[in-house]
């Protein structure tokens, strides 16, 4: 069934009503709806099988970002995250982008690298050519470890040989296995292949293999997103759209030239991406590592996104970055909510999931830059953070919403102020 990602009034609903709306939009069964609302979706016995030394489960809020349209398809985006304002900002930017066609995405094939480090070679350049001469034999050996992957059209497709002739540990030759991992994240696959061909590489070079491990700089596995928004769509009650566009460009340029700003700028992008990765049971640490390494590929850490102005004055944003995600294996298959997240997303391949993730990251970046270029980041963030402060101050039941509203209206979201308001409110009750 086609999903409608418009969530008008969703935020004002209670949790049961939100669940009902989501179930209707995504065709969830009663069991799946109950799983989302139960608070115990991950059985302790399953958790015990996922990692070691299990003593419990740690839960995160699980929300839905709405209004996303990606390549013409409406997408509801599950996000697991503890920070307020992230889902609201992503949804609002998706709503603004929707009027002009939403997000356009594309991606390269699901290609991962495995690295095999060879030491003790006195003729590293000669060793490189010797390895390349046996290229097909090495590829065939690697592919012998995963017949299912080969049947799916994946497998080791090529190899590269990199020479580091002068290191503090002597000459070093590093072989990269280039592997199409299909709908898997691919870590286990490429690591197994690397370990299996290590002995053959020692025979060929006369050296000794040390490390055999994937690289999280998945620069052959890129996902891309583009958005184009008319300037007038960005107009607020206080700022003209053209001024907002110029403010976004100024903020973006700051991130381009200054790594101190770029670190926070890119963290904002990952504010959107990481919750999608977590909700689908993927490895958010691998995504973060790849993102920051890719942001440094020029030799200087800089922005992952680009922001420009089209000839007609529209704001144009793009994001291209490594995105090593999977639909099979690991927690993606083990965790019940990860499987349910994939159903809600309606994605059919790892590449499609990667494209959704970068679209959300681009939306999140646009939201942050828009806020920074206008009223500042804290105004909207703290208004949404007010509920957390209200709860921390001791509010319960209907008091939470009342106190959060009072804090936001006063533009003073502090725990001591919240406690003072709550105390007065309770004393004033009949």
């Amino acid at each position: 069934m086609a999903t409608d990602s418009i969530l008008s009034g969703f935020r004002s609903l209670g949790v049961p009503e939100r669940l009902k709306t989501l179930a209707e939009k995504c065709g969830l069964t009663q069991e799946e709806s109950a799983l989302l609302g139960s608070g115990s979706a991950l059985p302790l016995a399953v958790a015990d099988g996922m990692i070691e030394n299990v003593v419990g489960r740690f839960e995160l809020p699980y929300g839905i970002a709405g209004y996303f349209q990606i390549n013409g398809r409406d997408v509801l985006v599950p996000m697991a995250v503890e920070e307020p304002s992230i889902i609201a900002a992503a949804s609002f930017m998706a709503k603004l982008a929707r009027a002009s066609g939403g997000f356009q995405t594309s991606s390269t094939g699901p290609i991962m690298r495995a690295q095999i480090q060879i030491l003790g070679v006195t003729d590293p350049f000669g060793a490189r050519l010797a390895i390349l001469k046996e290229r097909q034999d090495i590829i065939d050996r690697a592919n012998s470890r995963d017949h299912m992957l080969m049947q799916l059209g994946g497998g080791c497709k090529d190899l590269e040989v990199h020479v580091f002739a002068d290191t503090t540990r002597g000459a070093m030759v590093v072989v990269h296995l280039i592997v199409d991992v299909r709908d898997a994240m691919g870590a286990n696959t490429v690591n197994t292949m690397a370990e299996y061909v290590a002995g053959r590489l020692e025979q060929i070079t006369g050296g000794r293999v040390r490390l055999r491990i994937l690289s999280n700089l998945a620069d052959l596995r890129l996902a891309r997103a583009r958005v184009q928004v008319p300037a007038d769509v960005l107009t607020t009650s206080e700022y003209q759209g053209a001024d907002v566009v110029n403010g976004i460009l100024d903020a973006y340029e700051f991130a381009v030239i200054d790594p101190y700003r770029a670190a926070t700028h890119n963290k904002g992008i990952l504010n959107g991406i990481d919750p999608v990765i977590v909700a689908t049971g993927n490895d958010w640490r691998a995504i973060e590592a790849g993102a920051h390494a890719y942001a440094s590929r020029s030799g200087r850490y800089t922005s992952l996104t680009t922001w420009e102005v089209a000839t007609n004055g529209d704001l144009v944003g793009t994001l291209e970055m490594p995105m090593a995600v999977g639909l099979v294996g690991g927690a993606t298959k083990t965790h019940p909510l990860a499987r349910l997240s994939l159903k809600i997303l309606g994605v059919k391949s790892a590449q499609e999931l990667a494209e959704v993730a970068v679209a959300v990251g681009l939306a999140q970046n646009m939201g942050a830059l828009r806020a920074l270029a206008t009223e500042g980041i804290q105004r909207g963030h703290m208004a949404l953070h007010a509920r957390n402060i209200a709860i921390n101050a001791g509010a319960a039941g209907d008091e939470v919403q009342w106190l959060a509203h009072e804090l936001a209206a006063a533009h003073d979201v502090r725990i001591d102020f919240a406690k003072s308001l709550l105390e007065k409110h309770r004393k004033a009750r009949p």
Side-chain angles (χ1 to χ4, degrees), residues 254-264 300-302:
F254 188 7
V256 170
I257 64 173
D258 183 2
Y260 290 95
R261 172 61 202 141
T264 310
R300 183 176 57 83
Y301 188 82
T302 189

Side-chain angles (χ1 to χ4, degrees), residues 55-397:
V55 295
R57 295 153 297 190
F58 183 87
E59 294 184 329
L60 285 171
Y62 181 106
I64 301 292
Y67 296 96
F68 273 90
Q69 192 173 75
I70 300 174
N71 294 339
R73 183 176 77 89
D74 275 25
V75 181
L76 288 169
V77 183
M79 302 176 75
V81 65
E82 86 295 342
E83 184 177 333
S85 79
I86 287 176
I87 294 176
S91 298
F92 185 42
M93 292 305 103
K95 187 176 184 179
L96 295 184
R98 187 182 183 87
S100 52
F103 297 85
Q104 304 302 312
T105 64
S106 63
S107 56
T108 62
I111 306 297
M112 297 293 288
R113 295 177 184 266
Q115 294 183 292
I116 305 157
Q117 175 195 35
I118 308 171
L119 302 172
V121 178
T122 59
D123 58 337
F125 292 99
R128 174 178 177 270
L129 294 191
I131 292 168
L132 290 173
K133 180 176 181 295
E134 300 299 326
R135 169 185 169 277
Q136 193 57 53
D137 177 60
I138 297 165
I139 291 173
D140 291 343
R141 287 170 181 265
N143 284 331
S144 71
R145 307 314 296 164
D146 199 326
H147 297 294
M148 179 61 71
L149 183 62
M150 293 291 291
Q151 291 174 14
L152 294 172
C156 184
K157 302 298 185 181
D158 203 354
L159 61 79
E160 299 173 355
V161 186
H162 301 262
V163 174
F164 302 90
D166 185 19
T167 82
T168 59
R169 303 298 294 170
M172 193 179 298
V173 178
V174 181
V175 177
H176 289 197
L177 300 181
I178 310 301
V179 185
D180 182 335
V181 297
R182 297 286 82 199
D183 281 329
M185 183 272 180
N188 290 333
T189 295
V190 300
N191 288 343
T192 299
M193 288 182 175
E195 292 182 357
Y196 187 70
V197 302
R200 178 63 179 137
L201 290 170
E202 288 182 336
Q203 291 175 354
I204 294 169
T205 63
R208 67 182 185 279
V209 167
R210 186 69 79 189
L211 269 62
R212 300 142 292 170
I213 185 69
L214 89 157
S215 171
N216 286 125
L217 177 51
D219 59 353
L220 298 176
R221 192 176 189 177
L222 303 176
R224 314 178 187 96
R226 179 184 184 277
V227 68
Q228 182 165 341
V229 181
D232 59 5
V233 170
L234 298 169
T235 298
T236 71
S237 59
E238 300 174 36
Y239 298 88
Q240 292 297 311
D243 294 332
V244 176
V245 170
N246 282 322
I248 287 174
L249 293 177
D250 289 340
Y252 159 65
E253 188 64 21
F254 188 7
V256 170
I257 64 173
D258 183 2
Y260 290 95
R261 172 61 202 141
T264 310
H265 175 95
N266 290 341
K267 188 267 183 181
I269 295 168
L270 291 161
N271 272 350
I273 292 172
D274 282 355
V276 180
I277 303 305
V278 173
T280 57
N282 275 280
D283 187 347
W284 59 269
R285 299 162 305 281
I287 299 301
E288 293 248 351
H292 295 303
Y294 196 70
S296 305
R297 66 192 184 282
S298 67
R300 183 176 57 83
Y301 188 82
T302 189
S303 170
L304 284 165
T305 52
T306 62
W307 292 96
E308 307 165 295
V309 178
T311 54
N312 65 354
D314 289 357
L315 178 70
V316 179
T318 59
L319 171 59
E320 179 179 61
M321 61 178 284
M323 192 56 59
V325 295
L327 302 187
V328 297
T332 306
K333 281 295 185 184
T334 306
H335 199 301
L337 280 189
R339 297 196 300 272
L340 187 52
S341 293
L342 294 175
K343 178 175 180 176
I344 293 169
L345 283 164
V347 294
K348 305 301 182 186
S349 68
Q351 286 176 257
E352 194 176 359
L353 174 58
E355 292 174 19
V356 169
V358 292
V360 179
L362 184 59
Q364 198 71 36
N365 188 227
M366 182 166 70
L369 293 180
R370 178 180 177 274
L372 287 166
T374 55
E375 74 267 13
I377 203 74
Q378 286 297 83
R379 182 170 167 182
H381 176 77
M382 292 307 287
L384 292 167
H385 187 51
R387 286 178 59 85
N388 277 342
I389 295 298
I391 293 169
N392 288 336

